[in-house]
Amino acid sequence: MESGGLKPMDAEQLRENAHKMVDFIADYYKSIENFPVLSQVQPGYLHNLIPDSAPHHPESLQNVLDDIQEKILPGVTHWQSPNYFAYYPSNSSVAGFLGEMLSAGLNIVGFSWITSPAATELEMIVLDWLAKLLKLPEDFLSSGQGGGVIQGTASEAVLVVLLAARDNALKRVGKNSLEKLVVYASDQTHSALQKACQIGGIHPQNFRVLKTDSSTNYSLSPDSLAEAISRDLTIGLIPFFLCATVGTTSSTAVDPLLALGNIAKSNGMWFHVDAAYAGSACICPEYRQYIDGVEEADSFNMNAHKWFLTNFDCSALWVKDRNTLIQSLSTNPEFLKNKASQANMVVDYKDWQIPLGRRFRSLKLWMVLRLYGLENLQGYIRNHIQLAKHFEGLVAQDLRFEVVTPRIFSLVCFRLLPPHNDEDHGNKLNHKLLDDINSTGKIFISHTVLSGKYILRFAVGAPLTEWRHVNAAWEVMQDKASALLARLSVE
Ligand code: PLP
């Protein structure tokens, strides 16, 4: 590119270069199966491949693309590979990509309504659409006291509602009572809640992590919640926040929302539901039952960027009472004052989130909903769940393995059975098996620990995954298990 008289946004140059970039990305998707799914580079690998300082003179796009091919892609773990089965998925799609492209293209910063009315208004409309697909209670719609907002992540979502709940509780019990406020969750709740408590100034000893076990399939027992609350009340503490999960990170456990919500309500607590992964499935009537009881919740969150074809990031959060959130997070400096905001005629999303600036993320979700439609989206979810069910069947047929927790959505938790019932040995064996599997680069799976058992997680949900990939993945796992067990029997 020319150095003199820089034209950083020339329409024709954009057209030409963006076409090249789209070609590059389309070719990437065509050849994605050729890469090792889990990047096989060593820490610091890039240091010697990239110059120590930025260039003085412009370089060509082709040179940069060559570097991406040779130096960057080897250091990429391919989340969009059909052979990616780790953690939870983080979906990309043509529709999501187009929305992302448009958002980058317009590059607005929509913190107040006035800074781009369409960004605020489309976000409200699209989140109302999604709330209706999920059959969320009407209180969550923007037509009443509530409404939806797109956060970057589920972690930000739980943080903002925790802050709102904290301030609301302090208003009730007195602002000097912060150290008495207690948060409740299960030992399966995502660590995002712990981080929110740390940021929110909740006393570390007032974070109740209630134990779960296989007797409830790792869901939170209402009795154990009620007991913990009653103990805390007896010693003068103030229960104020409960986080339940639908589809826990380790094993997709589903907390009983109705029973938990009733307990939270009768104790004047804020009830947050984290359905970051499994929320997407609830657009299908047959899975909607898993969020029955959401009527009792004050806030509900699902990550459209996980399993809903919306490119990262897009975490949808709904609250029943937007004013609580706004009272906690609103600021009103002179330089942001404007007629529409002052007259209270508009939503200013800056007051629903941590940062000021925000992207036009609703474009992505809007594209996904419009270009695919509900029926296709339901089919997409159902297909992944069928694939996971198929995988579960394959595991069950191999007597060397066991399925550890019942599969509900598209995650299968399984392990090699410990030889001679020696759990310690079993844990080491499964850890080794995981490393052996992932170092092939053919597939990528992850692990968790439940009741002291080291467990392998097979999460179906990448947009390109088909039956053949699941079958091939199982072959890799069986081969590696056979090799590992054969080595053991020789030792
Ligand atoms: N909650 C659940 C149930 C999750 O599974 C995850 C991530 O996998 C999170 C929260 C955190 O997600 P985020 O990265 O959007 O903060």
Side-chain angles (χ1 to χ4, degrees):
M1 292 194 190
E2 285 172 29
S3 57
L6 183 68
K7 283 193 189 166
M9 184 42 88
D10 175 84
E12 289 313 318
Q13 204 179 77
L14 173 70
R15 194 189 310 281
E16 191 190 324
N17 286 341
H19 281 159
K20 278 191 195 141
M21 187 59 89
V22 168
D23 281 343
F24 184 89
I25 296 167
D27 288 342
Y28 167 69
Y29 276 97
K30 272 195 151 172
S31 61
I32 198 165
E33 287 189 55
N34 300 337
F35 298 96
V37 189
L38 174 66
S39 170
Q40 306 285 314
V41 300
Q42 295 303 311
Y45 89 100
L46 198 52
H47 188 73
N48 292 332
L49 299 179
I50 302 268
D52 281 346
S53 50
H56 271 282
H57 300 294
E59 297 184 53
S60 72
L61 175 62
Q62 193 53 53
N63 275 356
V64 180
L65 291 178
D66 290 346
D67 273 356
I68 292 170
Q69 194 73 43
E70 286 163 29
K71 300 169 184 170
I72 300 298
L73 288 186
V76 167
T77 290
H78 300 276
W79 286 66
Q80 305 313 319
S81 165
N83 299 312
Y84 177 96
F85 302 103
Y87 312 115
Y88 277 138
S90 185
N91 283 183
S92 170
S93 68
V94 173
F97 179 83
L98 295 178
E100 184 69 53
M101 200 174 178
L102 186 55
S103 173
L106 299 178
N107 201 36
I108 61 98
V109 185
F111 46 81
S112 300
W113 177 87
I114 193 178
T115 62
S116 258
T120 298
E121 295 194 15
L122 186 65
E123 189 160 325
M124 294 168 71
I125 291 166
V126 171
L127 287 192
D128 279 352
W129 281 13
L130 187 52
K132 287 177 194 166
L133 296 186
L134 291 165
K135 305 217 170 349
L136 294 185
E138 287 203 355
D139 305 355
F140 283 121
L141 300 181
S142 63
S143 44
Q145 302 300 307
V149 56
I150 298 178
Q151 304 282 335
T153 60
S155 306
E156 289 163 70
V158 74
L159 172 59
V160 296
V161 296
L162 183 105
L163 296 177
R166 177 198 67 182
D167 294 347
N168 198 37
L170 290 179
K171 221 184 277 167
R172 213 176 53 232
V173 298
K175 60 178 187 301
N176 295 328
S177 298
L178 178 59
E179 63 188 30
K180 290 188 186 161
L181 297 186
V182 190
V183 171
Y184 301 81
S186 90
D187 57 3
Q188 301 300 309
T189 305
H190 195 276
S191 53
L193 178 63
Q194 186 194 338
K195 191 179 274 194
C197 290
Q198 286 167 207
I199 298 171
I202 303 306
H203 197 292
Q205 281 175 3
N206 290 352
F207 178 33
R208 298 280 168 271
V209 179
L210 304 170
K211 237 176 121 41
T212 62
D213 59 34
S214 57
S215 70
T216 60
N217 288 326
Y218 299 95
S219 75
L220 176 55
S221 133
D223 287 347
S224 85
L225 173 70
E227 276 164 32
I229 290 176
S230 138
R231 267 197 310 271
D232 287 331
L233 286 172
T234 320
I235 55 172
L237 295 178
I238 304 165
F240 88 104
F241 191 87
L242 167 66
C243 178
T245 309
V246 174
T248 57
T249 313
S250 276
S251 68
T252 68
V254 174
D255 291 337
L257 300 189
L258 186 60
L260 295 174
N262 281 332
I263 296 171
K265 207 173 213 175
S266 60
N267 286 282
M269 297 161 66
W270 185 290
F271 180 34
H272 177 65
V273 175
D274 172 0
Y277 152 76
S280 301
C282 300
I283 60 161
C284 301
E286 68 274 31
Y287 296 108
R288 171 59 178 75
Q289 54 171 308
Y290 293 110
I291 56 168
D292 281 357
V294 66
E295 297 71 27
E296 305 303 322
D298 296 286
S299 47
F300 177 82
N301 173 231
M302 79 144 227
N303 279 353
H305 62 239
K306 273 191 161 57
W307 194 19
F308 205 68
L309 291 171
T310 311
N311 291 40
F312 189 81
D313 54 353
C314 186
S315 181
L317 169 69
W318 291 269
V319 291
K320 271 188 185 160
D321 174 9
R322 59 177 175 259
N323 279 327
T324 319
L325 198 56
I326 292 168
Q327 277 160 23
S328 214
L329 298 175
S330 144
T331 54
N332 193 19
E334 184 57 40
F335 51 84
L336 297 182
K337 285 184 179 157
N338 65 83
K339 231 194 259 171
S341 299
Q342 299 296 98
N344 248 336
M345 290 159 60
V346 292
V347 162
D348 287 332
Y349 274 129
K350 71 178 175 56
D351 299 334
W352 299 45
Q353 63 173 24
I354 305 295
L356 175 70
R358 64 198 321 274
R359 305 175 65 228
F360 200 161
R361 284 182 290 220
S362 57
L363 288 171
K364 293 188 276 193
L365 193 49
W366 195 43
M367 288 278 188
V368 166
L369 293 170
R370 290 189 65 187
L371 297 189
Y372 298 139
L374 176 61
E375 244 178 57
N376 276 322
L377 290 166
Q378 289 172 332
Y380 175 73
I381 296 283
R382 287 177 179 135
N383 181 47
H384 283 158
I385 294 177
Q386 280 307 313
L387 290 179
K389 200 169 170 183
H390 171 61
F391 180 80
E392 186 187 27
L394 293 173
V395 176
Q397 280 166 26
D398 187 331
L399 298 180
R400 299 171 302 173
F401 287 87
E402 70 167 349
V403 174
V404 181
T405 53
R407 181 202 49 76
I408 305 175
F409 303 103
S410 69
L411 171 73
V412 180
C413 290
F414 68 108
R415 66 171 185 161
L416 255 182
L417 281 164
H420 316 297
N421 291 327
D422 178 346
E423 289 292 344
D424 271 358
H425 188 198
N427 286 350
K428 286 183 192 128
L429 197 66
N430 279 287
H431 195 157
K432 181 78 182 83
L433 179 59
L434 180 85
D435 288 345
D436 288 355
I437 289 167
N438 287 339
S439 62
T440 64
K442 291 181 181 167
I443 62 171
F444 181 28
I445 61 172
S446 58
H447 81 281
T448 190
V449 173
L450 288 172
S451 302
K453 294 178 188 166
Y454 192 97
I455 285 158
L456 308 179
R457 293 171 76 266
F458 186 80
V460 181
L464 291 168
T465 302
E466 298 172 10
W467 290 82
R468 66 187 170 95
H469 299 110
V470 172
N471 289 332
W474 178 234
E475 267 180 39
V476 171
M477 293 184 234
Q478 281 187 309
D479 287 352
K480 285 294 163 192
S482 300
L484 185 58
L485 293 171
R487 276 206 310 276
L488 269 183
S489 66
V490 172
E491 277 166 16

